[in-house]
Structures are given as C-alpha cells and as structure tokens.
Amino acid sequence: MAVTLVKVVDPAGAKNEFATPVAGTRFVAVQFRLKNTGTAVYKDSPGNGARVVDAQGQQFDTAFYPSNAGASFPGSITVAPGDTGLGFLTFEVPKASKITKV
C-alpha cells in the first residue's frame, strides 16, 4: 500500500451530538489516500497503526468517533490491486497539543 496524506483538519467538528470530544480535547481529522501497489487484495482497517504525534513526542491513536471533516474510512476496507481508497481518520488529542507528525 502506498499511503498519502491528503488533508489535515485541525480542529475538526463532531459529526453528531454523540461523537463529541472529551472535555479538554479536540478532534483532528486526517484524510489519507491508500493505493494498493501490490498483487493481493488489501482487506484491513486503515486505523490500525495510524497515529498523530505532538511536539512533545506524545502519540495518539485513532478515535472511534467520526468527525464532520468528510467521509470517514469504515472499520475495514477492501482495496483491489491497482485501486485506491480515500477517507478520513479521526484522532482525539489534548487541546494544547500541537500535532507535528502523522
């Protein structure tokens, strides 16, 4: 898989009233393009292993809540060889954190 960072939305709004960040945190939404450059079908969760890192080196995993930044990746996707997938992953990070790496 070739993974390309397309867009970062910081802060990202909540998709609905049930998907709101915990007090003192915010959502950061990152859009990725996944291109299957191999010969086998990719079937997995794009959120596995995805992290954002702040200026202090703290790492944050994906949140289970969608943001309103755009279409989110579902829990699992299937991408045939030569095809692409596009979607957002949402991360919940402290309001004071400055994200420096994805």
Side-chain angles (χ1 to χ4, degrees):
M1 296 297 288
V3 179
T4 304
L5 186 147
V6 177
K7 183 190 296 187
V8 176
V9 178
D10 184 8
K15 186 165 185 140
N16 58 53
E17 72 268 14
F18 303 109
T20 58
V22 174
T25 67
R26 71 185 191 280
F27 285 150
V28 175
V30 181
Q31 187 179 41
F32 294 97
R33 178 173 288 111
L34 307 178
K35 180 166 177 65
N36 187 341
T37 58
T39 58
V41 172
Y42 171 87
K43 186 172 183 174
D44 201 350
S45 173
N48 289 344
R51 291 184 180 83
V52 294
V53 182
D54 71 9
Q56 295 178 327
Q58 294 178 322
Q59 297 184 19
F60 303 95
D61 293 325
T62 55
F64 294 105
Y65 304 108
S67 74
N68 65 358
S72 297
F73 277 119
S76 180
I77 65 168
T78 302
V79 183
D83 285 349
T84 61
L86 180 70
F88 279 93
L89 294 175
T90 303
F91 301 85
E92 189 170 356
V93 302
K95 286 185 177 179
S97 290
K98 180 181 178 187
I99 301 303
T100 59
K101 296 179 185 177
V102 177

